[in-house]
Amino acid sequence: VPAAVAEAVAARGRRVVLFGITGWADRAALERYTHYWVRLGQFGRFLRLARAEGCHDVVLIGSLLRPSLWQLRFDWRALRELPRVLRAFRGGDDHLLSGMARLLEDNGFHLLGAQDVAPEILMPSGILGRTMPDAQAQADIARGLALLAATSPFDVGQAAIVANGHVVALEAAEGTDLMLERVVTLRQEGRIQLAPDTGVLIKAPKTQQDLRFDLPALGPKTVEGAAQAKLAGIAVVAGATVVAEIERVRAAADANNLFVVGINPDSRG
Amino acid sequence: VPAAVAEAVAARGRRVVLFGITGWADRAALERYTHYWVRLGQFGRFLRLARAEGCHDVVLIGSLLRPSLWQLRFDWRALRELPRVLRAFRGGDDHLLSGMARLLEDNGFHLLGAQDVAPEILMPSGILGRTMPDAQAQADIARGLALLAATSPFDVGQAAIVANGHVVALEAAEGTDLMLERVVTLRQEGRIQLAPDTGVLIKAPKTQQDLRFDLPALGPKTVEGAAQAKLAGIAVVAGATVVAEIERVRAAADANNLFVVGINPDSRG
């Protein structure tokens, strides 16, 4: 995702400076652009470098696994902001991110979403590839979206797997890939009895989510995972899901006879 | 659980006849009482045997993993009822169970809950053992109960793990034991960063659940699983949770310094 956003922004003639978080960001994704490495907690270092580069707009990319406080390497500037950082840490992931957003804005940066600077990375509405969801899959999608709307106020991972009207899996801290692996295991062990090509992975942002960060993401790996779990397809919310490598997603969908559909957000239950 | 219910019922001077479902019921649990083995789908065999034994009241025990239709061995009587069975199969687990309940009642049986015939198997309110939930655990319990109330209309497994206000895991088809194992793995792999003795397993029946069947259950194995996941404790709804082997649950809680608490249902958010 960072490489796709950087490419789209650079294509618009804007200068890109990437700040990789040590231990999180992928080295190869950063190397084509001016870039710096920053440890989590080095807020002062980030401020100094970003100002020296003349940066004004900041885009946060990637969902942050909540780090332990003792993993952070606070610099002096971050320590000065520590009471705010600690307050941000107490709530859910939304709370952590919105705390970081306010911290950036109070320091004169303008926080944008990846979709503001690179709208082409967002999932379009409609089908990607050749396969269409059938009536059962459409009913499963509606049920999954309604379920995710219900769990949304609890700031919990926004993905579920629904098959023939039954909720097979709900995502929390494990993330989408491990949830899909779980379905593979449950099928193998006969704990769920489903015909192949049955069930839908549904992903949706939280209903009140600040769309500037932590949008649900979809990539070729998600499609491969759904194929291994023998699902019929994947449904995400159009315009509110980041699709990394959309052509590879389309190819993986077609290769596995899976549907990948962007649901119009107005049609969410 | 079946053995505990049978014992409690027999202690009241009522005659007990157990019908074990082949492949599901535990042989040892059945052997102390008059018992028969019935395959899933042998509804006619069950009717004939239960009538011959003079049974009137039926208690269903255990949550039924949804079997595949092709695992069922229908007898003629079941085939006659097949349209109703198939209708029952289309909905969620609630739907399946209430379909079975109606089928039994239309054939002259009276369906009771385990708690109707053996109230002593239900979780009492308050603490079991020595350990008490602290303020953070109490807040996590409230959040978990509110979350489960929100997912309840979706007929999904009714358990969650909440730690320091964050929803770490939500149960669906995998069941409580595998959800606890997942937290063990997530901790080991550093995907969740939690101090030991943090987090609560919360179990609750669905808000509109017919309490005659499929109550959440708690046993020594659940306590061991929660201990391995390094949780602070377990909270269930008093009067709406079956506790198998309550003394072993209490002993396991104390041995692991875990709290096990029955929450008064009136205090559910």
Side-chain angles (χ1 to χ4, degrees), chain A:
Chain A
V1 176
V5 174
E7 194 178 338
V9 171
R12 283 181 172 72
R14 300 186 70 176
R15 201 166 86 84
V16 175
V17 182
L18 296 177
F19 290 87
I21 295 182
T22 311
W24 300 86
D26 178 40
R27 182 166 298 277
L30 267 62
E31 283 183 343
R32 291 179 48 205
Y33 301 89
T34 307
H35 66 276
Y36 299 98
W37 289 96
V38 179
R39 287 183 179 277
L40 266 181
Q42 291 186 318
F43 186 60
R45 175 174 157 83
F46 166 77
L47 285 183
R48 196 173 63 246
L49 290 167
R51 283 177 180 149
E53 289 282 357
C55 299
H56 296 288
D57 295 338
V58 176
V59 178
L60 298 176
I61 299 171
S63 71
L64 204 59
L65 283 180
R66 175 172 296 270
S68 327
L69 275 179
W70 59 86
Q71 284 184 312
L72 301 183
R73 299 280 173 275
F74 289 115
D75 58 18
W76 286 109
R77 184 53 205 258
L79 283 174
R80 255 177 59 197
E81 306 275 11
L82 199 57
R84 300 179 61 177
V85 172
L86 290 177
R87 265 203 306 281
F89 253 78
R90 285 220 194 90
D93 290 337
D94 275 356
H95 197 157
L96 176 61
L97 285 163
S98 56
M100 286 176 55
R102 275 195 304 275
L103 206 57
L104 286 167
E105 301 219 310
D106 290 351
N107 280 282
F109 292 94
H110 185 43
L111 188 71
L112 295 171
Q115 67 281 10
D116 298 322
V117 295
E120 61 269 54
I121 67 160
L122 292 183
M123 178 71 184
S125 69
I127 301 291
L128 214 60
R130 280 191 310 266
T131 312
M132 306 270 288
D134 64 11
Q136 177 64 61
Q138 288 175 33
D140 288 344
I141 292 167
R143 191 164 177 82
L145 289 173
L147 171 62
L148 294 179
T151 58
S152 177
F154 297 91
D155 199 7
V156 61
Q158 290 286 279
I161 295 169
V162 181
N164 295 338
H166 304 120
V167 181
V168 172
L170 266 164
E171 178 186 324
E174 74 274 25
T176 304
D177 294 339
L178 287 183
M179 179 176 65
L180 286 167
E181 282 179 27
R182 175 158 90 242
V183 173
V184 174
T185 308
L186 290 173
R187 274 192 189 265
Q188 280 168 354
E189 293 178 354
R191 290 182 62 92
I192 50 176
Q193 301 281 344
L194 286 175
D197 305 319
T198 309
V200 183
L201 167 66
I202 299 114
K203 297 191 76 162
K206 290 156 206 158
T207 45
Q208 302 296 321
Q209 184 164 331
D210 185 333
L211 294 181
R212 289 178 304 175
F213 30 69
D214 200 27
L215 286 181
L218 173 66
K221 192 177 170 195
T222 322
V223 179
E224 296 297 339
Q228 304 227 308
K230 300 201 175 92
L231 302 185
I234 300 172
V236 299
V237 178
T241 308
V242 170
V243 186
E245 307 176 274
I246 196 162
E247 285 312 317
R248 284 186 58 207
V249 169
R250 191 195 309 272
D254 284 342
N256 290 289
N257 291 315
L258 266 161
F259 69 80
V260 174
V261 62
I263 304 291
N264 193 317
D266 300 336
S267 68
R268 283 180 73 179

Side-chain angles (χ1 to χ4, degrees), chain B residues 63 123 140-141 144-145 148-149 157-162 171 175-177 179-180 200-206 209 214-219 222-223 233-238 240-242 261-263 268:
Chain B
S63 71
M123 178 72 183
D140 288 344
I141 292 167
L145 289 174
L148 294 178
Q158 290 287 281
I161 295 170
V162 180
E171 178 185 324
T176 303
D177 294 340
M179 179 175 66
L180 286 166
V200 183
L201 167 67
I202 299 112
K203 297 192 76 161
K206 290 156 206 159
Q209 183 165 332
D214 201 27
L215 285 182
L218 172 65
T222 322
V223 179
I234 300 171
V236 299
V237 178
T241 308
V242 170
V261 61
I263 305 291
R268 283 181 73 177

